[in-house]
RNA sequence: GGCGCAUUCGUCUAGCGGCCCAGGACACCGCCCUCUCAAGGCGGAGAUCAGGGGUUCGAAUCCCCUAUGCGCUACCA
């Protein structure tokens, strides 16, 4: 492929925040451009006045940036083919539509929505193909003048050829063809003067010299329309590649019911952008027969359409979480501490803030291989920050042990630790000896201590945890445990 | 209903005529490691390659039919 001619685009409509499927399309386009040294363009398709969501454009751009997807032309950066907002390109679409009307390839349609609705109902009842019946195509000039003078609102429709076939050589799906007579006369310009997607996308892709259109498979049915538009307008169509869709676990198109819907919710839950990107690239593409976790450079070097698959992929959160854990484990302590900080600030009780970064740096090695989501940070480390973790004293008494034994164990440990060097190896040696002297298995003895020190039944290794906590935190917690357990009536 | 696309372990996938009685990964199960939980190591189970016809010496791979799933069928993209 000729590198410097490659121009691809991501063309979101600002009707909400991008979801996984959406952004995966952006990713593929971006990787394709970067692989061949081409240009990646972002174009905002804001032609639907009613569904416009304020702030959506910012959200979309923020999502791209978060994932490390940069663009060569588009909002914020500009470019030679602007504007990159379709709402600012209206005259261009009007011009194209006028040209088509002049050539007889498009016509004004005065049908009311009521008539259209009724038409659909009838077609449905008669089990006919749904679609516009081309009623206004045969309007005489007189009839049209009459309607215009009445001030009847109108749209512009494309006059599809009523015979022949339209063929597409799709880069991913090979040859697909449609009978022209089965494609209805779709709308080019809406009655509010704005173009529909079809007209705008064809006009802009041509004007912006887009070489490859890579979009989701849901667009495949509109390909014959676009191809006919290119033909009628005298443009050379770009190459097309329809990417596999991404489905939810129920095999349906991704939606809110499937949990996190926008890319930003994944950030909030603590997924790393690198992990999410790595996971997404695997939905419909593979590097080879085994590589799954790979750096960005590898993705970029290996990304070709030849390795993009055809079947739709089901989005599996379990695997995403696993991969997030892989990325977390690969981080160095400083990077992970910095990554955790915002989540701790968000989720820790306010009185425990601010978090001391140096202290956090010492905690990180203990939780790193246990973290799957950054949003678990606070829950997983809270006892490092709290003065005294809360728990039910009954938990101190391990299964099969008595209250007396437990109290004796706690006292003995407190005593040993009172003068001990507070390092993990030293404490381990001391406490193991204590355990033996007390006749307690490590599991029981350390289980009790774990509750006393962390207020939980699971934690990172006890001695390392105590070392990080330090004597000033551990000693009072042991004393608290002793006090509380003494107050519990034996046999309760 | 019409049109289109798709169909390999539960899921993501490798496979582009013989290397495949189908490989990797997630999840699952067992064992090891072990103070708990993870992580890690080892092993296991899991796909008659949707079904049926062809083509071929030979098919998961090519062709046809059927079934199923999904998408589109808006003055939304």
């Amino acid at each position: 492929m000729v590198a410097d001619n490659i121009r691809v685009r991501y063309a979101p409509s600002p009707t909400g925040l991008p979801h996984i499927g959406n952004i995966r399309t952006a990713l593929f386009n971006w990787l394709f451009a970067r692989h061949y040294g081409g240009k990646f363009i972002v174009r905002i398709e804001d032609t639907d006045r009613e569904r416009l969501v304020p702030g959506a454009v910012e959200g979309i751009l923020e999502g791209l940036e978060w994932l490390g997807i940069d663009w060569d032309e588009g909002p914020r950066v500009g470019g030679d083919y602007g504007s990159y907002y379709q709402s600012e390109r209206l005259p261009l679409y009007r011009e194209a539509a006028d040209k088509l009307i002049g050539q007889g390839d498009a016509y004004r349609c005065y049908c009311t929505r009521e008539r259209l609705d009724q038409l659909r109902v009838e077609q449905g009842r008669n089990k006919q193909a749904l679609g516009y019946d081309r009623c206004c195509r045969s309007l005489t000039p007189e009839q049209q003048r009459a309607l215009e003078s009445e001030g009847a609102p109108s749209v512009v429709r494309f006059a599809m050829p009523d015979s022949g076939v339209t063929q597409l050589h799709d880069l991913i799906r090979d040859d697909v063809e449609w009978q022209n007579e089965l494609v209805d006369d779709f709308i080019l310009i809406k009655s509010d003067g704005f173009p529909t997607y079809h007209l705008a996308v064809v006009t802009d892709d041509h004007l912006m010299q887009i070489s490859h259109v890579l979009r989701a498979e849901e667009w495949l049915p509109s390909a014959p329309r676009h191809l006919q538009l290119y033909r009628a307008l005298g443009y050379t169509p770009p190459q097309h590649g329809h990417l596999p869709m991404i489905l939810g676990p129920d095999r349906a198109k991704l939606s809110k019911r499937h949990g996190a819907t926008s890319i930003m919710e994944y950030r909030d839950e603590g997924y790393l952008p690198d992990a999410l990107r790595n996971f997404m690239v695997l939905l419909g593409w593979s590097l080879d027969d085994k590589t799954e976790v790979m750096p960005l450079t590898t993705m970029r070097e290996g990304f070709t359409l030849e390795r993009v698959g055809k079947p739709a992929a089901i989005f599996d959160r379990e695997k995403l979480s696993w991969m997030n854990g892989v990325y977390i484990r690969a981080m160095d302590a400083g990077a992970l501490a910095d990554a955790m900080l915002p989540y701790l600030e968000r989720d820790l009780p306010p009185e425990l803030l601010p978090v001391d970064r140096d202290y956090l740096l010492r905690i990180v090695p203990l939780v790193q291989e246990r973290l799957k989501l950054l949003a678990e940070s606070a829950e997983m480390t809270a006892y490092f920050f709290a003065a005294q973790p809360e728990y039910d004293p009954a938990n101190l008494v391990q299964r099969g042990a008595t209250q007396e034994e437990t109290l004796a164990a706690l006292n003995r440990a407190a005593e040993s630790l009172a003068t001990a060097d507070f390092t993990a190896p030293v404490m381990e040696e001391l406490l193991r000896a204590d355990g033996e002297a007390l006749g307690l298995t490590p599991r029981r003895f350390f289980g009790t201590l774990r509750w006393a020190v962390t207020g939980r039944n699971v934690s990172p290794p006890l001695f390392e945890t105590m070392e990080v906590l330090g004597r000033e935190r551990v000693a009072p917690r042991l004393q608290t445990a002793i006090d509380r357990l003494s107050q519990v009536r034996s046999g309760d």
Side-chain angles (χ1 to χ4, degrees):
Chain A
M1 257 178 248
V2 188
D4 51 19
N5 285 338
I6 300 240
R7 291 173 57 81
V8 294
R9 80 320 195 256
Y10 171 51
S13 71
T15 52
L17 263 14
H19 58 254
I20 292 282
N22 231 312
I23 217 81
R24 198 279 317 254
T25 298
L27 214 211
F28 277 25
N29 273 280
W30 180 76
L31 285 171
F32 183 76
R34 295 294 173 254
H35 177 86
Y36 292 106
K39 299 281 190 234
F40 176 66
I41 293 134
V42 172
R43 183 177 69 218
I44 305 298
E45 310 224 320
D46 54 352
T47 55
D48 185 346
R49 319 300 293 147
E50 284 162 29
R51 296 203 309 153
L52 257 170
V53 172
V57 172
E58 295 315 309
I60 290 165
L61 300 180
E62 195 187 339
L64 291 173
E65 282 171 343
W66 181 62
L67 284 165
I69 298 175
D70 59 344
W71 53 101
D72 305 301
E73 295 172 30
R76 292 186 190 163
V77 301
D80 295 338
Y81 301 86
S83 165
Y84 294 91
Y85 288 82
Q86 291 188 325
S87 59
E88 295 172 0
R89 301 170 63 85
L90 265 26
L92 266 14
Y93 311 125
R94 163 109 295 152
E95 194 182 310
D98 287 344
K99 180 183 175 189
L100 291 170
I101 292 174
Q103 292 170 185
D105 283 315
Y107 59 94
R108 291 206 160 273
C109 168
Y110 301 86
C111 292
T112 61
R113 287 175 206 255
E114 291 67 41
R115 187 183 109 77
L116 262 19
D117 288 343
Q118 206 180 317
L119 180 66
R120 265 189 291 274
V121 171
E122 268 168 46
Q123 287 169 331
R125 197 183 302 133
N126 300 333
K127 301 197 183 244
Q128 289 173 284
L130 268 31
Y132 183 58
D133 62 358
R134 301 182 173 177
C135 165
C136 292
R137 194 147 148 180
S138 49
L139 246 34
T140 64
E142 293 74 41
Q143 289 172 309
Q144 198 178 125
R145 262 195 299 279
L147 283 159
E148 286 291 341
S149 64
E150 283 169 26
S154 65
V155 299
V156 176
R157 281 183 189 272
F158 184 71
M160 273 297 289
D162 37 31
S163 64
V165 299
T166 299
Q167 298 174 301
L168 169 71
H169 179 71
D170 192 271
L171 263 15
I172 292 163
R173 271 147 234 285
D174 294 326
D175 297 305
V176 187
E177 58 177 54
W178 295 265
Q179 295 290 325
N180 291 153
E181 60 190 313
L182 297 175
V183 180
D184 76 343
D185 286 0
F186 56 99
I187 292 173
L188 259 16
I189 303 270
K190 298 179 260 189
S191 56
D192 64 0
F194 277 73
T196 56
Y197 170 79
H198 306 298
L199 209 217
V201 83
V202 166
T203 303
D204 288 343
D205 283 345
H206 172 255
L207 258 21
M208 295 183 179
Q209 295 186 29
I210 298 302
S211 63
H212 296 74
V213 172
L214 305 179
R215 64 199 350 168
E217 194 200 327
E218 59 191 296
W219 293 109
L220 194 53
S222 58
R225 300 176 169 190
H226 301 167
L227 257 11
Q228 285 300 329
L229 264 177
Y230 281 114
R231 193 220 75 230
L233 256 4
Y235 302 156
T236 304
Q239 302 250 63
H240 285 75
H242 287 90
L243 309 170
M245 307 245 306
I246 297 179
L247 276 19
D250 59 356
R251 306 198 131 271
K253 221 170 152 178
L254 233 32
S255 74
K256 289 165 204 72
R257 304 190 299 103
H258 303 113
T261 193
S262 99
I263 212 76
M264 288 303 134
E265 286 176 51
Y266 286 91
R267 183 186 55 186
D268 295 344
E269 288 178 28
Y271 290 96
L272 296 164
D274 290 3
L276 187 58
R277 186 180 56 217
N278 195 153
F279 176 75
M280 281 194 300
V281 83
L282 261 14
L283 260 23
W285 174 83
S286 62
L287 177 70
D288 54 32
D289 58 341
K290 46 196 54 154
T291 313
E292 301 209 305
V293 177
M294 68 187 94
L296 186 53
T297 50
T298 304
M299 266 179 228
R300 197 186 301 164
E301 280 160 23
F303 192 86
T304 61
L305 258 24
E306 205 175 36
R307 296 203 63 81
V308 172
K310 293 187 230 258
I314 292 172
F315 177 77
D316 178 18
R317 248 169 190 285
E318 295 259 29
K319 190 159 183 175
L320 203 211
S321 295
W322 162 77
M323 190 168 281
N324 205 53
V326 170
Y327 272 84
I328 284 176
R329 273 171 252 137
M331 294 171 92
D332 62 62
L336 182 51
D338 291 334
M340 288 169 71
L341 232 27
Y343 294 87
L344 291 175
E345 281 160 3
R346 182 189 72 185
D347 300 329
L348 239 28
E351 64 273 17
L352 301 182
L353 298 176
V355 169
D356 175 8
R357 188 171 181 280
D358 289 333
Y359 183 41
L360 179 58
L361 232 30
R362 300 179 59 220
I363 297 170
V364 163
L366 299 182
V367 298
Q368 184 155 22
E369 65 192 26
R370 295 169 173 77
L371 262 186
K372 272 207 162 60
L373 298 176
L374 258 17
E376 296 162 347
S377 299
E379 136 82 14
M380 196 170 279
T381 62
Y383 60 85
F384 280 103
F385 302 103
Q388 171 63 56
E390 291 310 318
Y391 60 93
D392 179 354
N395 287 320
L396 291 164
V397 182
Q398 295 290 288
R399 209 181 163 73
T402 66
Q403 184 172 331
E404 288 68 33
E405 283 173 332
T406 305
L407 215 38
L410 250 10
N411 277 306
R412 174 101 184 212
E415 219 170 285
S416 299
L417 259 17
T419 54
D421 184 21
F422 236 71
T423 59
V426 171
M427 289 189 281
E428 175 158 12
E429 202 185 329
L430 269 173
L431 293 173
R432 278 194 188 280
D434 285 344
E436 260 176 63
L438 291 159
L440 288 173
T441 59
R443 189 185 180 92
R444 275 195 200 155
F445 188 30
F446 301 154
T448 294
L449 295 180
R450 170 169 286 109
W451 270 106
V453 171
T454 69
R456 332 187 21 158
N457 61 341
V458 304
S459 82
L462 224 210
F463 312 109
E464 283 80 358
T465 302
M466 292 199 297
E467 178 177 329
V468 170
L469 281 165
R471 175 178 280 120
E472 71 279 11
R473 286 194 185 79
V474 173
R477 291 184 191 186
L478 289 176
Q479 193 53 52
T480 302
I482 291 165
D483 295 346
R484 287 188 185 162
L485 192 56
S486 309
Q487 285 161 15
V488 175
R489 222 185 280 257
S490 167
D492 268 5

